[in-house]
């Protein structure tokens, strides 16, 4: 069996007390905090204590039955996220439940902060929603513009645990919250159950400089744990890379936690890049073993091609063909889900064994 050592050597990122306090206090620049310096001194001291002792997950409990090491102390945050995912999976699998569609707004633009105007993507989302409702679906809308406009909404970046060893990437992600580093308010623990509960996922997004908008890309990266991730952090005793490497080298099954859900994609732009992003999203979703609802469920195009940005909403008003393309994506996705739920659709690859599951 191949040997896999742990590579170290990157520069230290440890802060001095002085630098830590400078950064922490920078959050309280508003003059309203001036009368609260005594209280802030106590808060800064407590925060420094957590940072200097690396208390990533200060509140834990024993994992209990069903885990490789039932005595291992697991974060209560992670356990709550796991419970939410398991509940969502039960809803997904219950034939008596109304099937669900997850509609994702990939735009960062909002009229609740700068730029002060809604996105065209949001308008397209609201055009798709009634199509699904008329087909009898429950619709959940995941509006990623809330990352730029709502207090306390964040998606922290993926730490690429999977590139050390797949079992080190826990399902759901256990990297956050990290209280010692102030990496809190992570939205993903609410987002994972939305994906799990859904029978169909429709992503509507603009193209930003040939790529996915920042919030959408952050979510995509953090969904890596859904594609081969380890549902038992006690098997690696938290983030022990040597244990994770040993597990993977024994033979890891790379479980596809979102397999079998159908998807549709709509990408719009103003001049370039829409087709490239649409292909990238389709490739990503397909690699996670989600299933395209067919050619009509994958669309890209341009709204107000090479025209002024200032009149782009008016361009969408007039572009009835693009609006109908979007509705057709929704219809195709809805039909695929209904066929699957009725037992009239069987995945063509069902029963085939992937010789390279990674």
């Amino acid at each position: 069996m191949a040997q896999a050592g742990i590579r170290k050597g990157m520069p230290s990122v440890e802060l001095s007390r002085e630098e830590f306090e400078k950064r922490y206090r920078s959050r309280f620049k508003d003059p309203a905090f001036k009368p609260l310096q005594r209280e802030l001194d106590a808060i800064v001291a407590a925060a420094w204590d957590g940072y200097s002792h690396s208390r990533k997950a200060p509140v834990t409990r024993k994992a209990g039955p069903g885990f490789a090491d039932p005595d291992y102390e697991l974060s209560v945050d992670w356990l709550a996220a796991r419970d939410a995912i398991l509940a969502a999976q039960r809803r997904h699998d219950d034939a008596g439940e109304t099937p669900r569609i997850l509609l994702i707004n990939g735009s960062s633009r909002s009229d609740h902060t700068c730029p002060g105007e809604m996105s065209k993507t949001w308008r397209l989302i609201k055009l798709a929603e009634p199509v699904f409702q008329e087909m009898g679906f429950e619709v959940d809308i995941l509006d990623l513009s809330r990352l730029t406009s709502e207090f306390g909404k964040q998606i922290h970046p993926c730490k690429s645990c999977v590139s050390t060893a797949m079992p080190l990437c826990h399902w759901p992600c256990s990297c956050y919250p990290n209280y010692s580093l102030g990496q809190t308010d992570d939205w993903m623990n609410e987002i994972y159950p939305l994906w799990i509960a859904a029978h169909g996922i429709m992503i509507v997004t603009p193209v930003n400089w040939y790529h996915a908008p920042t919030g959408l890309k952050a979510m995509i990266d953090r969904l890596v744990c859904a594609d081969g991730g380890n549902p038992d952090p006690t098997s690696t005793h938290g983030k022990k890379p040597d244990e994770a490497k040993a597990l993977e080298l024994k033979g890891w099954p790379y479980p596809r936690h979102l397999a079998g859900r159908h998807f549709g994609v709509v990408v719009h732009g103003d001049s370039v890049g829409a087709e490239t992003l649409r292909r990238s999203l389709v490739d990503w979703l397909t690699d996670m073993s989600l299933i395209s609802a067919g050619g009509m469920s994958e669309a890209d195009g341009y709204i107000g091609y090479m025209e002024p940005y200032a009149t782009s909403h008016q361009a969408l008003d007039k572009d009835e063909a693009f609006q109908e393309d979007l509705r057709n994506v929704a219809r195709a996705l809805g039909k695929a889900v209904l066929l699957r739920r009725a037992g009239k659709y069987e995945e063509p690859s069902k029963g085939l064994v992937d010789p390279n599951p990674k």
Side-chain angles (χ1 to χ4, degrees), residues 38-343:
R38 181 182 298 176
E39 290 84 352
L40 282 176
D41 289 344
I43 290 171
V44 169
W48 168 253
D49 188 66
Y51 171 78
S52 61
H53 291 93
S54 299
R55 285 199 298 275
K56 172 188 174 183
V59 184
T60 62
R61 69 166 175 82
K62 290 187 184 301
F67 289 92
D69 183 352
D71 291 326
Y72 183 77
E73 294 283 334
L74 281 176
S75 162
V76 297
D77 295 294
W78 185 86
L79 287 165
R82 174 181 180 267
D83 287 346
I85 282 175
L86 293 175
Q89 186 66 57
R90 288 192 293 270
R91 289 197 303 275
H92 175 275
D93 296 342
D94 187 344
E97 288 277 342
T98 302
R100 306 190 79 87
I101 296 292
L102 177 59
L103 255 178
I104 300 175
N105 171 23
S107 177
S108 301
R109 191 172 170 213
S110 170
D111 57 346
H112 296 300
T113 182
C114 49
E117 183 178 46
M118 72 164 65
S119 67
K120 294 181 291 296
T121 313
W122 177 253
R123 291 180 57 193
L124 294 171
I125 287 287
K126 297 306 286 183
L127 288 175
E129 183 182 22
V131 175
F132 291 118
Q133 291 171 333
E134 289 165 11
M135 296 178 79
F137 291 101
E138 291 285 344
V139 180
D140 295 310
I141 295 179
L142 174 57
D143 179 9
L144 293 174
S145 76
R146 291 168 65 186
L147 290 165
T148 62
S149 60
E150 183 177 326
F151 179 84
K153 280 281 184 262
Q154 299 180 65
I155 295 178
H156 292 292
C158 177
K159 295 184 179 181
S160 300
C161 297
V162 64
S163 292
T164 290
M166 189 77 242
L168 198 62
C169 181
H170 299 146
W171 168 250
C173 176
S174 67
C175 294
Y176 305 101
N178 186 322
Y179 291 96
S180 67
L181 296 180
Q183 295 169 340
T184 59
D185 298 319
D186 186 67
W187 198 8
M188 287 305 298
N189 282 349
E190 297 175 42
I191 290 175
Y192 292 133
L194 292 174
W195 278 77
I196 286 292
H199 299 87
I201 292 98
M202 180 171 171
I203 298 175
V204 185
T205 184
V207 56
N208 288 6
W209 280 114
Y210 293 88
H211 295 284
T214 304
L216 177 59
K217 184 58 169 66
M219 182 188 69
I220 288 171
D221 288 352
R222 292 288 302 286
L223 279 164
V224 66
C225 58
D227 192 53
N230 179 2
D232 185 356
T234 74
S235 65
T236 56
H237 292 96
K239 294 291 185 174
K240 296 288 181 65
D242 53 342
E243 295 185 22
K245 285 176 181 283
L247 267 179
E248 187 172 35
L249 292 174
K250 284 180 182 177
W252 188 252
Y254 301 97
R256 303 298 204 248
H257 300 290
L258 292 171
R261 290 156 178 81
H262 289 276
F263 71 83
V265 172
V266 177
V267 178
H268 66 91
D270 56 75
S271 57
V272 290
E275 182 179 2
T276 301
L277 178 55
R278 188 260 303 165
R279 287 176 172 172
S280 293
L281 290 173
V282 169
D283 285 349
W284 164 62
L285 291 159
T286 303
D287 281 353
M288 291 202 299
S289 296
L290 281 80
I291 305 165
S292 171
M296 291 292 285
S297 70
E298 303 168 13
D300 62 78
Y302 297 95
I303 299 170
Y305 180 71
M306 299 300 286
E307 295 177 6
Y309 298 108
T311 55
S312 61
H313 273 287
Q314 286 82 355
L316 176 56
D317 292 339
K318 294 184 291 185
D319 198 338
E320 295 182 3
F322 192 84
Q323 294 178 36
E324 193 62 16
D325 279 343
L326 172 110
R327 293 188 184 96
N328 281 337
V329 171
R331 291 172 185 131
L333 176 57
K335 286 180 181 179
V337 172
L338 292 175
L339 286 170
R340 182 69 170 266
R341 294 274 287 184

